Amino acid sequence: ANAVIGPGVQIGRNCVIGPAATVFCALIGDHVRLLSGARIGEAGFGVMPGPSGAEDAPHYGRVVLQDHVTIGANSCVDRGAFDDTILGERTRIDNLCQIAHNVVLGRSVLMAAFGGISGSVQIGDGTMLGGRVGIADHVKVGEGVSLAASSGLFRNIEDGETWGGTPAKPLRQWMREIAWLQKNANPKKKG
């Protein structure tokens, strides 16, 4: 009910498009689920200087959702500026997530609620992003990576690593730093 499918959209077999979802400039595979209020294919946040100040940059790319992808309620997947934004097979995006233009997610990527991925990020197969993870633009994340909830990632990560914190770093290092900080911020009183 009240879903909008724009021009140039191709939708595969056995897809579910929830109420108030919108789809523009997209190629959608088979068995894809778009939950209520999902926004697929809107222009990304591309801004360039113009004669009167900041102007929106045109976006000519598409969104490609491969087979068995799920996009949660009120999540947004922006179309690419020149290249496509691509979400690999069996990727699952939770509610209230933002995926910017030119992002490429591998197969079976899991992204929990409130996450944000900036433009031109590449994420490998089987990576898991905890809730409220933020990733800066042009970062490359390897396959099988885990990012702890509320991580803020600003640099590349190799395959199979587990990171956390802001700025994100290898999990053991992050936990040691937190333990040191708690110990030194609240010293025990003697006597």
Side-chain angles (χ1 to χ4, degrees):
N2 296 321
V4 176
I5 309 300
V9 172
Q10 294 180 358
I11 300 175
R13 297 181 311 247
N14 300 315
C15 293
V16 175
I17 298 177
T22 60
V23 184
F24 300 101
C25 304
L27 174 60
I28 297 177
D30 298 335
H31 308 284
V32 170
R33 295 178 56 226
L34 306 178
L35 302 185
S36 301
R39 302 287 181 243
I40 308 300
E42 296 289 344
F45 185 68
V47 179
M48 59 187 192
S52 303
E55 294 181 1
D56 291 335
H59 284 70
Y60 302 111
R62 303 174 298 175
V63 171
V64 177
L65 302 180
Q66 295 180 354
D67 296 346
H68 300 281
V69 168
T70 298
I71 306 295
N74 296 311
S75 289
C76 300
V77 181
D78 295 339
R79 70 179 179 262
F82 294 104
D83 297 325
D84 293 336
T85 300
I86 302 170
L87 278 66
E89 295 174 359
R90 299 192 181 282
T91 288
R92 301 284 192 266
I93 307 300
D94 199 359
N95 302 334
L96 298 166
C97 291
Q98 163 66 27
I99 298 174
H101 58 269
N102 302 338
V103 168
V104 177
L105 301 184
R107 294 177 178 92
S108 300
V109 172
L110 303 178
M111 182 177 181
F114 301 115
I117 301 176
S118 298
S120 302
V121 168
Q122 296 177 21
I123 297 179
D125 297 346
T127 291
M128 295 184 292
L129 309 178
R132 218 178 68 160
V133 164
I135 302 177
D137 58 321
H138 300 277
V139 168
K140 292 183 181 178
V141 178
E143 295 184 5
V145 168
S146 294
L147 280 173
S150 296
S151 296
L153 182 63
F154 300 96
R155 58 188 182 162
N156 298 342
I157 301 180
E158 298 297 324
D159 293 349
E161 296 193 18
T162 301
W163 284 32
T166 300
K169 54 193 72 168
L171 189 66
R172 294 173 76 79
Q173 177 185 350
W174 175 53
M175 293 177 83
R176 277 195 305 269
E177 289 176 6
I178 289 173
W180 181 89
L181 184 61
Q182 288 178 339
K183 179 181 175 186
N184 289 294
N186 300 307
K188 293 180 182 175
K189 295 181 181 178
K190 296 182 180 181

